[in-house]
Amino acid sequence: MIAIVSKQELVAKGLFAQEAGAEVRIVGMWVWAKFPRKPADEVRNALSSEGFHWSKSKERWYFIGALSTSPRPHSYKAIVSRYGEEELDT
């Protein structure tokens, strides 16, 4: 079972504070992070160790808060359209 991470936990861990301009959004049960440029190795390693994955097609890091029931890939825009989004202050 995958643990669901809270907004407060993400901010407390400081995963995004090291990179200026990081946009972090909660979309449904997922967390998406976009950086203005490639993050430093330490940040990428920290994201990976916390369970985030890189989506080349969406150009964002993501954390799966729940298992997907859809077998088809969707664009980031389609996901936001369906679930809405909330920006996380980093």
Side-chain angles (χ1 to χ4, degrees):
M1 185 163 122
I2 297 173
I4 297 173
V5 66
S6 72
K7 293 185 296 184
Q8 292 80 7
E9 288 173 311
L10 287 171
V11 172
K13 289 178 190 236
L15 291 175
F16 311 104
Q18 298 178 37
E19 294 289 329
E23 294 177 13
V24 183
R25 299 180 186 273
I26 298 173
V27 182
M29 301 281 294
W30 295 47
V31 179
W32 294 88
K34 184 174 184 178
F35 297 90
R37 62 196 149 284
K38 185 176 182 178
D41 288 341
E42 308 84 51
V43 173
R44 292 194 321 270
N45 291 337
L47 287 168
S48 292
S49 70
E50 290 295 330
F52 280 78
H53 303 277
W54 172 250
S55 171
K56 185 175 182 179
S57 64
K58 295 173 182 67
E59 299 181 346
R60 289 171 168 78
W61 285 86
Y62 66 94
F63 176 83
I64 305 169
L67 296 176
S68 175
T69 57
S70 174
R72 299 183 326 236
H74 298 283
S75 70
Y76 179 75
K77 193 173 190 175
I79 296 167
V80 169
S81 175
R82 181 171 183 174
Y83 297 104
E85 67 182 345
E86 177 183 349
E87 189 164 356
L88 180 66
D89 291 329
T90 56

